[in-house]
Amino acid sequence: MLKGKDLISIHDLSADEVYEILDFAADLKVMQNMKIPHRYLEGKTLGMIFEKSSTRTRVSFEVGIFQLGGTGLFLSSKDLQLGRGEPIKDTARVLSRYLDGIMIRTFGHDRIIELAKYADIPVINGLSDLLHPCQVLTDLLTIREHKGKNFRSMKMAYVGDGNNMTNSYLYGAAKVGMHLSVATPANYKPNAEVFKNALADAEETRAEITWTENPIDAVKDADIIATDTWASMGQEAEHDDRKKIFAQYQVNRELLSHASKNAIVLHCLPAYRGEEITEEVFENNAHVIFEEAENRLHTQKAIMALTMTD
Ligand code: CP
Ligand code: NVA
């Protein structure tokens, strides 16, 4: 179903495609753990364009394509002609003649749309200012591992900045029918168009999607709590102001006392202790958070194997 397609937003996927990725990721994780060869992309090459920093995305994609029998090329925009002004549409048409897939991490989401429009190979969104779909698909896999497969019975809360993670959580929850309550300051809400689209998707799955300014209301009886940095890549200059604005949105012991007793905490990483999460809450949930980080590998292998296959 996903063969030859781009993976730019969870909103573009059908619910079946989301489950296909999660199921295949779980299978690949077993194969990896049991050392069963799974060279689905023998001889294929993935180009990985980075216009922003990365630890997890870079390493998990590069190791992932290698484990699938292919090769990954790390392409920093600082070294590409792209960084000197070569149009993205020309880069797309050139790379399509060498590669079998492109992963891109960039600022403006429209750059990914433009790349995909002109590339005739699958384009995977490795994070834009608007969305981070690979991370949220990974989080859905992690939630399934810890809370079971019935997303419709779960409540998730996101507390913090209404950023690319929040936007992708909205699309992910709406697609699988999970109750999601988002708490952000009024001036830092998730993207309005994403919120509208998520509500439309949620009509089909009957997911309850809500926004509040009050973190306690959001986490009430939640089974899963997620947060992310208060200052995303590109917002470094706002860091000090944001620390003050988001002070009431820290995931700490007091906030968690309002959640379900066995709630798990997710963090896409990197985490800033003492800001969006306390050291105590982070370390109490480290087993889940680092499983989540590992799951990037399995989820992205599934995405690559399903989209880049012949
Ligand atoms: N979570 C995540 O995408 O991490 P990196 O920025 O290290 O890739
Ligand atoms: N919101 C963060 C996510 C990092 C993985 C950022 O864009 O920097």
Side-chain angles (χ1 to χ4, degrees), residues 127 132 163-164 228-229 232-233 268-269:
L127 181 148
H132 197 0
N163 62 17
N164 43 12
D228 184 20
T229 181
S232 286
M233 288 180 275
C268 66
L269 301 174

Side-chain angles (χ1 to χ4, degrees), residues 63-180:
V63 170
I65 184 77
F66 173 75
Q67 291 177 352
L68 290 166
T71 303
L73 287 182
F74 173 67
L75 305 168
S76 163
S77 59
K78 286 191 211 103
D79 304 320
L80 293 173
Q81 296 289 6
L82 188 64
R84 296 180 60 246
E86 184 168 14
I88 201 136
K89 61 183 183 179
D90 293 355
T91 306
R93 286 176 285 186
V94 171
L95 294 183
S96 293
R97 289 170 184 252
Y98 303 139
L99 303 169
D100 302 291
I102 305 173
M103 192 286 309
I104 177 165
R105 166 168 287 197
T106 188
F107 291 87
H109 190 70
D110 50 346
R111 288 176 72 71
I112 304 187
I113 305 282
E114 175 95 343
L115 183 75
K117 183 174 165 197
Y118 286 93
D120 48 25
I121 52 177
V123 169
I124 301 170
N125 176 359
L127 181 148
S128 67
D129 288 344
L130 187 71
L131 298 171
H132 197 0
C134 293
Q135 181 69 55
V136 168
L137 288 164
T138 298
D139 288 12
L140 292 176
L141 176 69
T142 313
I143 291 168
R144 258 185 20 172
E145 289 174 343
H146 287 267
K147 295 284 171 195
K149 288 195 171 179
N150 189 5
F151 288 118
R152 286 168 198 261
S153 69
M154 299 171 203
K155 177 181 176 186
M156 177 168 189
Y158 174 88
V159 178
D161 181 27
N163 62 17
N164 43 12
M165 283 300 299
T166 330
N167 294 332
S168 282
Y169 280 130
L170 285 164
Y171 279 153
K175 223 25 109 166
V176 300
M178 181 166 60
H179 180 174
L180 173 64

